[in-house]
Amino acid sequence: MILLGYRDHNVHELVCHEIAERAGYYDRLGIEVEAVPGPDHPEAALSAGLGGSLVEALRGQRRWKVALVHTLHPLFWIWTRKEGTGSTGPTVLAGYPEGSIVGAFTQKVLNDHWSAEEAPAVLRFPAGSTGDRLRVEALTSGVADAAVLGSAFAPSALSRLGLTDSLFFGVALKFPTAGVAVDVARTSVDHPSVRKVVAAQTAAIAKVRSRDPVALDAVASLLHDSSRADAQRLLADYLSPQYGPDPRDVHAAGADALDWLAGALHTSGHTAAEFYEAVR
């Protein structure tokens, strides 16, 4: 059994794994792959969450290298209530844990796109499904005037709650997001089982791009509180146009991403070529 750790149980991390299972790609290659919460399974040699893996690599916690990148567009949004946040941005934000990759994304997009003299007060909620629901509740109840939400909720479903998409991270920045990272302390990026996982998920990317019914089924199965029509819109508007980047674009975006994140984390001694060299 191959364990694939995920950082957050959301669509953009797990859709290709789910398609590979549903379409029988893993079976045809003679492998069994189980998606498990990464923090609970440090023995997992593969990771679906590339941003969190890069954070751990830069901090010297794990020896991750990327074997496959699904997209360069982080699927997170800042949502607000209908009255909006104005040009200065939110004052109270329901966000992710401090030190997380999504927390770093959030700080970057706030600095780049809003003009507030003071940073917003950030209410920290955990990653994962519990945190997703708590952030939505904080926003809809008025405890926060903005919330960072990932692809566990379809944008069209959140719009029906009276919320407004104020900023899509996938437009605001490029960052190699979701895919297959390999802990080379545990296995090699060229190990046959790893190459089979990469082959299966590469085939799954093609299903995403073509909006194949199996991709729609996979998206629908991963969403919270959403209809099949919501899943179809998420697939058509955000996943299909953005999945399957050219390796040259991965290396270019990866170099920028690593430089920025290393600066944000105050680390040094790593290169993008080292982290993304196996992406071909």
Side-chain angles (χ1 to χ4, degrees):
M1 175 65 72
I2 300 166
L3 298 184
L4 174 68
Y6 57 82
R7 306 282 169 172
D8 218 343
H9 196 279
N10 53 33
V11 171
H12 69 270
E13 273 196 50
L14 292 174
V15 64
C16 287
H17 166 72
E18 187 71 20
I19 292 169
E21 282 198 323
R22 289 171 178 264
Y25 294 146
Y26 292 147
D27 288 343
R28 290 176 210 168
L29 291 168
I31 55 174
E32 290 183 66
V33 183
E34 181 182 359
V36 296
D40 297 338
H41 290 272
E43 75 278 13
L46 303 184
S47 173
L50 304 188
S53 299
L54 180 55
V55 169
E56 290 182 348
L58 290 173
R59 288 176 171 161
Q61 297 166 327
R62 300 282 295 267
R63 293 179 56 199
W64 295 110
K65 293 196 176 198
V66 174
L68 178 67
V69 174
H70 293 162
T71 180
L72 299 177
H73 301 272
L75 271 83
F76 296 92
W77 294 256
I78 292 180
W79 289 85
T80 61
R81 294 192 301 280
K82 276 295 185 183
E83 60 265 29
T85 60
S87 62
T88 60
T91 56
V92 180
L93 175 71
Y96 276 67
E98 189 170 6
S100 67
I101 185 61
V102 186
F105 287 161
T106 302
Q107 189 59 55
K108 180 171 176 56
V109 299
L110 288 173
N111 291 342
D112 291 350
H113 293 273
W114 274 303
S115 59
E117 292 184 4
E118 294 186 9
V122 179
L123 307 176
R124 303 286 181 184
F125 295 99
S129 297
T130 299
D132 287 333
R133 294 190 183 280
L134 289 173
R135 282 186 289 275
V136 171
E137 182 180 334
L139 182 54
T140 56
S141 68
V143 170
D145 61 345
V148 179
L149 297 168
S151 59
F153 289 95
S156 51
L158 292 174
S159 295
R160 287 198 300 275
L161 296 178
L163 304 179
T164 300
D165 166 13
S166 291
L167 183 66
F168 174 43
F169 286 22
V171 168
L173 55 89
K174 283 188 177 182
F175 193 102
T177 301
V180 179
V182 182
D183 185 343
V184 296
R186 289 171 167 78
T187 189
S188 164
V189 291
D190 292 317
H191 191 280
S193 65
V194 173
R195 301 318 305 172
K196 288 178 181 179
V197 172
V198 169
Q201 293 205 13
T202 300
I205 289 173
K207 295 294 188 185
V208 172
R209 291 177 64 88
S210 67
R211 306 180 197 177
D212 189 276
V214 72
L216 178 57
D217 291 342
V219 172
S221 74
L222 293 166
L223 284 170
H224 296 324
D225 307 332
S226 300
S227 68
R228 194 167 178 82
D230 292 324
Q232 192 164 29
R233 286 193 62 183
L234 178 62
L235 178 61
D237 294 346
Y238 293 99
L239 301 175
S240 177
Q242 298 170 350
Y243 266 52
D246 186 289
R248 291 170 296 182
D249 294 332
V250 169
H251 287 277
D256 291 341
L258 189 142
D259 286 347
W260 159 69
L261 189 57
L265 297 176
H266 308 292
T267 64
S268 61
H270 294 78
T271 66
E274 176 186 18
F275 193 65
Y276 299 105
E277 64 185 353
V279 178
R280 307 178 181 100

